[in-house]
């Protein structure tokens, strides 16, 4: 990519864990600079991968990034998730704003002493990550289906007779 000032900027790319481990092995055998030149990547990236070698070995080789971080406030999130599930079972609508307000309200409770109210903000980003961690979404299937009328078959037959009569009458 070329910037407006003529500077060339590289395109960002993600690498598989297998590739990262290959680069780390090469860097350990030679050095970081040689590995960066050999694989056409940034030397700082090689240093980062060497630092995180143990997590790279643990993650699946076909993945490009490490699993998402765990929650900063696990007890609060567990109870909040239970609240969301309970509200949905009772047929109430749960919105992102409702989740955020309930989380702020819960953070002030004495039960969560480790959560400092000034630390916990319940931002929109936190709400999105919370929902992803617990497999929640705002789209919910409706529980009440439309019931078919009792005389459905009779109405269908009547409609068919009506159509056949008009087809014969006007020669459609």
């Amino acid at each position: 990519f070329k910037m407006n000032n003529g500077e060339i900027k590289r395109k960002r790319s993600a690498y598989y864990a297998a590739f990262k481990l290959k680069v780390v092995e090469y860097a350990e055998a030679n050095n970081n600079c040689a590995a960066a030149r050999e694989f056409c990547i940034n030397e700082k990236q090689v240093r980062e991968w060497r630092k995180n070698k143990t997590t790279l070995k643990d993650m699946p080789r076909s993945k490009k990034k490490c699993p998402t971080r765990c929650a900063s406030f696990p007890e609060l999130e567990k109870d909040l998730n239970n609240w969301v599930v309970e509200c949905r079972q009772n047929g109430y609508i749960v919105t992102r704003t409702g989740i955020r307000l309930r989380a702020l309200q819960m953070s002030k409770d004495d039960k969560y002493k480790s959560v400092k109210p000034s630390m916990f903000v319940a931002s929109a980003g936190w709400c999105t990550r919370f929902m992803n961690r617990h497999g929640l979404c705002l789209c919910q299937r409706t529980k009440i289906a439309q019931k078919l009328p009792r005389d459905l078959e009779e109405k269908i037959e009547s409609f068919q007779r009506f159509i056949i009569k008009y087809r014969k009458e006007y020669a459609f």
Side-chain angles (χ1 to χ4, degrees):
F1 292 134
K2 263 197 171 177
M3 304 282 283
N4 291 341
N5 59 2
E7 182 181 316
I8 296 176
K9 184 179 176 183
R10 279 189 166 181
K11 182 181 177 189
R12 292 183 63 173
S13 56
Y15 301 100
Y16 291 103
F19 176 78
K20 293 175 185 180
L21 287 170
K22 187 176 172 183
V23 172
V24 168
E25 288 175 18
Y26 188 89
E28 288 173 345
N30 300 302
N31 62 31
N32 294 348
C33 189
R37 268 180 287 161
E38 177 70 24
F39 295 99
C40 300
I41 55 174
N42 195 341
E43 186 180 351
K44 183 178 184 325
Q45 196 66 58
V46 177
R47 285 194 305 270
E48 291 292 322
W49 292 346
R50 282 185 75 172
K51 195 184 329 177
N52 299 330
K53 183 180 178 180
T54 55
T55 55
L56 288 174
K57 282 186 176 180
D58 293 341
M59 66 187 276
R61 294 188 174 276
S62 61
K63 292 286 183 184
K64 291 186 178 182
K65 65 178 189 171
C66 294
T68 57
R69 277 188 343 157
C70 59
S72 300
F73 310 100
E75 307 91 29
L76 183 129
E77 287 198 7
K78 181 182 172 192
D79 290 344
L80 184 63
N81 184 40
N82 292 339
W83 175 80
V84 170
V85 170
E86 184 181 316
C87 285
R88 286 186 173 174
Q89 285 176 349
N90 293 334
Y92 299 121
I93 297 171
V94 181
T95 62
R96 286 180 185 272
T97 307
I99 292 172
R100 291 172 62 190
L101 290 173
R102 178 68 178 181
L104 282 172
Q105 182 184 16
M106 290 172 70
S107 70
K108 294 173 184 166
D109 191 11
D110 291 337
K111 185 179 177 182
Y112 311 104
K113 291 178 182 173
S114 62
V115 181
K116 296 176 185 168
S118 60
M119 281 180 53
F120 187 71
V121 185
S123 64
W126 170 84
C127 185
T128 301
R129 290 187 300 275
F130 163 76
M131 291 175 72
N132 288 339
R133 277 192 291 269
H134 294 279
L136 300 172
C137 66
L138 295 179
C139 299
Q140 191 176 3
R141 292 161 82 196
T142 57
K143 294 182 177 114
I144 302 168
Q146 183 177 358
K147 294 181 181 177
L148 299 173
R150 293 178 193 219
D151 57 344
L152 177 69
E153 290 180 24
E154 185 181 317
K155 287 183 177 181
I156 290 174
E157 288 176 17
S158 170
F159 178 72
Q160 286 176 339
R161 277 189 246 115
F162 172 79
I163 295 296
I164 291 170
K165 177 182 149 192
Y166 272 87
R167 283 183 63 198
K168 287 179 181 177
E169 190 175 319
Y170 295 105
F172 288 136

